[in-house]
Amino acid sequence: MFAGLALGVPLLLSLVLVAVATALAVHHRVPAAELTAPAAGARRRGDAWTVLAAATALGTAAACVAGARWAHDERLVAVSPLAAAAAYAAVALTAEATWPRPTARVRSARLLVRSVRDGAPGGLLGGALAAGLLLAAVCALGSALGAPDGRSVEWRSPDGVAVWSAATFPGAALTAPVAAAGLAVAVLTAAVLHRVPARPAVPGADEGTDEALRRVAAHRVLRTSTAAAVLTLAGLLFAAGVSGQLGGTYQVAEGVRRTSEPALGWRVAADAALWTGPLLVPVALAVLFRPARGLRRHRATAGAA
Amino acid sequence: MSGLRVLVDTASPVPAYEQLRRQVATLVTTGALRSGDRLPAARALAADLGLALGTVQRAYRELELAGLVVSRRRTGTVVTASAAPVAEEVRWAAEGYVERALQAGLAGEEVLDLVRDALLRASSRRAPAR
């Protein structure tokens, strides 16, 4: 029942968000007929590579989950969102690196300085950075608190008689591959964000159109990586919540029982992690399906009307 | 500055780096580019123009040698020279001349040839006075 809800609710939410994002994209989409041929071609190229990147990401995630079932290794499930984001960013980087260069005899270029910040929205950039830092902090904390097996957490009574253990906890065995995947995503995302301002301008496109096409490319990779980091964070926090079960009463001699529990702060933190985790799932989905501010229709000004 | 453009004709006998150098130098001389203005990264400009990175880097190097720009690691290539103070009536005269020459059907190079010829005559007239 709980497993069904845990899988069904995010899936339903994803479908709703996909529908809303698609409706918004269709509503705001400028018809190709209103764009110059090179601009329409550039947008078509960007869309085609995005579909390929999304398919690669979904395939990677599915392969991770299937591999986890086959190998009985939960680490593959833990890294699946970040592996998918890394695959997406790798395809996006290929798209940027192979962006067509001008071939006309006479070529022109604006003397315009472009930077990563021009393309990547500040809010999303800050969100990505915050999600990455939080994920790194949770990985470091989980590794430090986890039991030597790297998959569980232990609590030992002060007299050493009783030991409680809870699993699955994000210890070193789980957080090491997550941290490695997170690092790969960060490097690939940064590479794409640096590549976007340096790709050739679309010939004949005005400054606004060219900027919008770059902004969309940066937005797509940034939100995918951020959503993957937040989703992974949600999973790790939820798993860390099991540490709240540690402690209890134990028998030291005939008729003598003692109680040993971690400090109140520990239990509060564990409960907070247990509840924060699921709450982050809709946040991750909202980031993933947040539409970019792309090309907009030119509206007639009041003076022209 | 965002409206400023450079053009490169790949079929021209003038090397691409020289075409770039001339145009940027002209923009600095005429005041379209001012001291402190940043030029695009060589890699980005090379991508926009479909040129090799070395071509744009050479143009920037030549501009730096001429003292028009300076390249720094953090800020990129920045214009350092300011436009020479040209009297407004001289600028108008130049614009008027170009307009009349183009209306007369002269090509760009012919317009410049006439200026060069006028410069030569002027300098030869001044030579005996030295």
Side-chain angles (χ1 to χ4, degrees):
Chain A
M1 172 74 181
F2 183 74
L5 271 177
L7 199 69
V9 171
L11 201 64
L12 193 66
L13 194 61
S14 298
L15 288 174
V16 170
L17 285 168
V18 166
V20 171
T22 308
L24 279 174
V26 168
H27 177 70
H28 287 298
R29 192 173 175 86
V30 179
E34 291 180 24
L35 299 171
T36 60
R43 188 176 67 175
R44 210 166 35 245
R45 184 182 192 278
D47 291 346
W49 275 95
T50 301
V51 169
L52 180 64
T56 311
L58 283 174
T60 306
C64 283
V65 173
R69 287 184 66 132
W70 180 73
H72 300 289
D73 192 343
E74 73 274 17
R75 288 179 300 180
L76 282 169
V77 176
V79 299
S80 61
L82 289 170
Y88 186 99
V91 175
L93 186 60
T94 311
E96 294 303 323
T98 56
W99 195 263
R101 291 165 70 89
T103 51
R105 187 177 71 90
V106 178
R107 304 158 189 181
S108 78
R110 287 185 200 89
L111 287 179
L112 193 66
V113 180
R114 301 188 203 102
S115 69
V116 173
R117 280 176 170 276
D118 295 337
L124 202 50
L125 207 55
L129 202 64
L133 288 175
L134 273 173
L135 187 60
V138 168
C139 284
L141 200 63
S143 301
L145 296 176
D149 68 355
R151 284 186 162 81
S152 62
V153 61
E154 286 179 358
W155 174 254
R156 193 175 290 271
S157 62
D159 54 17
V161 172
V163 177
W164 289 268
S165 180
T168 302
F169 183 80
L174 207 64
T175 55
V178 165
L183 192 65
V185 170
V187 168
L188 284 166
T189 305
V192 175
L193 292 180
H194 276 95
R195 187 71 210 175
V196 166
R199 80 182 186 197
V202 178
D206 61 274
E207 202 177 317
T209 303
D210 191 54
E211 267 178 22
L213 291 169
R214 288 177 203 276
R215 195 169 50 236
V216 168
H219 196 279
R220 280 172 178 161
V221 74
L222 202 51
R223 71 182 190 227
T224 306
S225 301
T226 308
V230 174
L231 204 57
T232 308
L233 192 62
L236 292 185
L237 286 175
F238 185 69
V242 300
S243 59
Q245 303 165 1
L246 297 176
T249 306
Y250 61 101
Q251 188 170 356
V252 282
E254 189 68 34
V256 182
R257 300 180 76 79
R258 285 182 188 158
T259 300
S260 174
E261 283 180 345
L264 181 65
W266 174 285
R267 196 170 290 275
V268 170
D271 287 346
L274 189 68
W275 289 104
T276 308
L279 288 178
L280 284 176
V281 174
V283 174
L285 293 174
V287 169
L288 184 63
F289 296 114
R290 182 183 162 190
R293 194 162 54 85
L295 294 171
R296 290 279 188 267
R297 286 187 179 86
H298 294 290
R299 288 180 185 162
T301 58
Chain B
M1 184 183 147
S2 61
L4 300 179
R5 280 180 168 274
V6 283
L7 279 171
V8 168
D9 184 349
T10 52
S12 165
V14 180
Y17 82 87
E18 179 57 19
Q19 294 181 47
L20 267 180
R21 189 201 64 76
R22 276 186 198 171
Q23 289 174 65
V24 176
T26 305
L27 290 171
V28 174
T29 311
T30 56
L33 279 174
R34 295 177 182 181
S35 182
D37 280 349
R38 285 173 66 200
L39 294 182
R43 192 177 295 277
L45 191 56
D48 278 358
L49 291 169
L51 299 173
L53 175 61
T55 305
V56 179
Q57 282 176 334
R58 182 166 179 190
Y60 279 8
R61 209 164 41 242
E62 301 268 339
L63 288 163
E64 197 168 1
L65 285 173
L68 296 176
V69 302
V70 65
S71 293
R72 297 191 193 111
R73 187 178 286 271
R74 289 187 68 82
T75 53
T77 305
V78 182
V79 175
T80 51
S82 298
V86 179
E88 200 61 21
E89 64 266 29
V90 177
R91 198 185 296 276
W92 285 350
E95 284 175 9
Y97 161 69
V98 168
E99 201 156 317
R100 285 185 64 182
L102 292 177
Q103 279 172 358
L106 295 182
E109 271 306 307
E110 290 172 318
V111 176
L112 290 173
D113 282 345
L114 281 175
V115 174
R116 288 190 195 102
D117 184 52
L119 274 173
L120 278 174
R121 286 168 192 274
S123 56
S124 62
R125 273 200 303 273
R126 289 179 185 184
R130 265 191 241 162

